[in-house]
Amino acid sequence: MALTRRKFVKGAGTTALAGSLAGGIMPQTLVQAWSQSSLELGNAKVDVLSDGNLVLPVEFLLGDVPADEVKELITRHSLSADVMEPACNLTLVRDGERTILFDVGSGSNFMPTAGKISGSLEAIGLDAEEVTHVLFTHAHPDHLWGLLDEFDDPMFANAEYMISKKEWDYWIDPETVNTIGEARQTFAAGAKRNLESVEDQIIRFEMETEVLPGIRAIDTSGHTPGHVSYEVRSGSQSIVVVGDVLTNAIYSFENPDWRIGSDQDQEMAVDARSKLLDQLVSDKMQMIGFHIPYPGIGRVERAGSAYRFVAG
Ligand SMILES: [Zn+2]
């Protein structure tokens, strides 16, 4: 196995830390062991790894929702009227043969509060090079930009990458940066740069197909043009890695028809959300939400004419 620049620096850091500990000097900073949550799924083990969290203006997310409805939500749940701090939950599935990571997190160039996957991997004793497959829900920064490390080397050097063909075609198109609108131009430039770096290793799949044995891509386009959720089956059990169709434990369920600022095609996203919620209830499936409070594992129940997220 090649010694990457990241490994070399990490190795050097460890030695220095060990040296300072041996000398009885407290290190300046300690590596934070990020929390981790696990569940068994048939023969597979599922871990949810924290990549930290985002800090987003409420106005950006809920600016298109009538102000009195937003105010009611904020008051009833004692939320901040200025910012939301959604979690970033990365799902890892290990079945003895494959080590599959769903999305790779933000990396170090998006927000200082996110891009913490290295600490989470360390906490479970997994080397990034042991990941065999990386499956993307979509190509937004908080899901994709962790692909390259701080030296622009691939973080998951031995992985096979997979993304929907629709998502790939949209972000790789040189015209996208010109048509996406000013607010999302950095998203477009970053997606293209990151995706191009794995152009030769990435598989582009069709929607509603089995992308790997036991893993099916569910078309949940709307948040981005080719967004997918993944149904993961092992034995008689299954779980859905939902991505960004359901981004908030309260309003994505209570108000699935709200038009959310982070959804690129808001109407299509509303349709995808309603359809998936309906399926999660009817099939009594467990889900993992990328931005739902850590670890984002739970089930969906019907509540009146809408839904409710039940953690666990
Ligand atoms: Zn996201």
Side-chain angles (χ1 to χ4, degrees), residues 22-193:
I25 305 156
M26 280 302 287
Q28 289 292 307
T29 50
L30 287 169
V31 177
Q32 180 167 1
W34 290 91
S35 52
Q36 166 229 351
S37 182
S38 309
L39 58 97
E40 302 292 326
L41 183 77
N43 301 322
K45 185 179 184 211
V46 180
D47 290 289
V48 181
L49 308 177
S50 173
D51 192 47
N53 67 274
L54 303 182
V55 180
L56 299 172
V58 171
E59 175 62 26
F60 166 72
L61 294 169
L62 300 178
D64 296 329
V65 177
D68 55 334
E69 293 184 41
V70 176
K71 199 172 170 212
E72 192 277 327
L73 172 96
I74 283 167
T75 311
R76 186 157 44 93
H77 294 281
S78 307
L79 306 174
S80 157
D82 302 320
V83 290
M84 291 202 179
E85 299 184 10
C88 295
N89 302 320
L90 300 166
T91 302
L92 181 80
V93 176
R94 288 180 282 182
D95 64 5
E97 254 175 66
R98 304 171 301 181
T99 298
I100 306 164
L101 184 64
F102 294 82
D103 295 330
V104 293
S106 294
S108 51
N109 296 320
F110 187 47
M111 282 188 190
T113 52
K116 311 296 183 190
I117 189 178
S118 296
S120 293
L121 290 170
E122 218 164 286
I124 63 163
L126 185 74
D127 196 299
E129 275 135 42
E130 293 175 68
V131 173
T132 60
H133 298 80
V134 169
L135 272 58
F136 291 106
T137 59
H138 65 298
H140 272 170
D142 50 324
H143 300 255
L144 173 71
W145 288 11
L147 193 56
L148 299 173
D149 66 14
E150 62 268 42
F151 302 104
D152 274 355
D153 288 330
M155 178 84 179
F156 305 94
N158 299 317
E160 184 168 274
Y161 302 94
M162 304 183 90
I163 194 167
S164 82
K165 185 174 180 305
K166 254 169 96 182
E167 188 73 355
W168 170 272
D169 287 348
Y170 178 72
W171 295 105
I172 213 72
D173 183 346
E175 269 309 298
T176 294
V177 73
N178 302 320
T179 55
I180 197 168
E182 210 186 328
R184 287 183 164 86
Q185 267 173 356
T186 52
F187 288 15
K192 191 164 189 299
R193 187 174 95 85

